[in-house]
Amino acid sequence: LEATVDCRLEDGSSCSSLSGVSWTHTALCVGRPYELEWLYIADSCGGSTGDVSFDCRDENGGPSSVFMAYLTIKGLTSNEVYYSSFIFQGINGFPVQRIVLKDEIEPYKKLDAKIYVVVSKGSPSGKILQEMTIPIACTDGNRLLVGDSFGGLQLASYHYEESSSIQAFEEVRWIYTIKNAGN
């Protein structure tokens, strides 16, 4: 068997010239969001960018030490689970998973002002690889920008009113080809 992976931008051109996801750190958030979208980048606490002060601790080799991990994100005050699932490291610098934090029952309900994030090895009860507390409510002292990274997560979009959103995406399409190269 022979397997190839090809990446295409939304317009059909090749992604090969891209060296990862690049961001223009703009689009200052407003208020408290009802939805956040993150990309999993499996980075250490030391690789974080931006001006937001947050708590982050790497353990057991950090998130980059495993290809597959388990991510749990919940509201710090409400303890409401916003996300809980397996996650995978990206391919060639490209994150492959979007993580959407949103109340599924009340779609425009505001999220907690802070989120608690745990990346664990293989399962929710696995060894902790990274633990973070991130303030997500935008105030004068909290300048959260789309494109900023917080440990293993990078902020990709911020939705703060029903008709207002801030996002920065380059859509890519992965094409997997598997052929029988034998006789």
Side-chain angles (χ1 to χ4, degrees):
L1 289 177
E2 179 182 306
T4 61
V5 178
D6 185 30
C7 174
R8 296 282 167 193
L9 296 175
E10 197 170 22
D11 65 5
S13 63
S14 174
C15 301
S16 61
S17 63
L18 298 176
S19 61
V21 177
S22 61
W23 300 90
T24 303
H25 294 269
T26 57
L28 185 64
C29 63
V30 177
R32 209 167 91 210
Y34 70 85
E35 180 179 321
L36 287 174
E37 194 162 2
W38 300 87
L39 297 175
Y40 181 65
I41 58 174
D43 206 351
S44 67
C45 295
S48 302
T49 63
D51 297 331
V52 175
S53 176
F54 73 107
D55 297 322
C56 186
R57 187 176 76 236
D58 289 322
E59 296 181 32
N60 300 304
S64 63
S65 68
V66 296
F67 178 72
M68 182 184 76
Y70 198 89
L71 177 67
T72 304
I73 304 175
K74 57 186 177 179
L76 190 63
T77 305
S78 69
N79 212 29
E80 180 180 349
V81 176
Y82 297 132
Y83 187 88
S84 182
S85 184
F86 290 99
I87 50 175
F88 301 90
Q89 285 192 25
I91 300 169
N92 297 328
F94 292 93
V96 294
Q97 282 185 270
R98 290 182 180 175
I99 298 149
V100 178
L101 307 187
K102 179 179 189 164
D103 188 301
E104 295 300 324
I105 297 169
E106 296 178 58
Y108 297 106
K109 177 182 169 186
K110 300 288 186 179
L111 300 173
D112 278 12
K114 287 186 177 183
I115 56 173
Y116 173 68
V117 180
V118 175
V119 178
S120 55
K121 188 173 183 174
S123 73
S125 59
K127 288 183 179 179
I128 291 177
L129 301 173
Q130 189 171 74
E131 195 170 22
M132 298 183 283
T133 302
I134 306 170
I136 58 170
C138 291
T139 61
D140 290 338
N142 191 36
R143 192 183 132 115
L144 190 65
L145 298 176
V146 168
D148 284 350
S149 64
F150 301 84
L153 299 176
Q154 185 171 41
L155 184 61
S157 71
Y158 186 96
H159 305 269
Y160 58 92
E161 290 178 7
E162 198 168 329
S163 61
S164 300
S165 68
I166 298 166
Q167 58 187 14
F169 280 119
E170 179 68 55
E171 290 290 331
V172 295
R173 182 173 26 127
W174 292 96
I175 301 166
Y176 299 91
T177 307
I178 300 172
K179 8 181 198 181
N180 185 349
N183 304 10

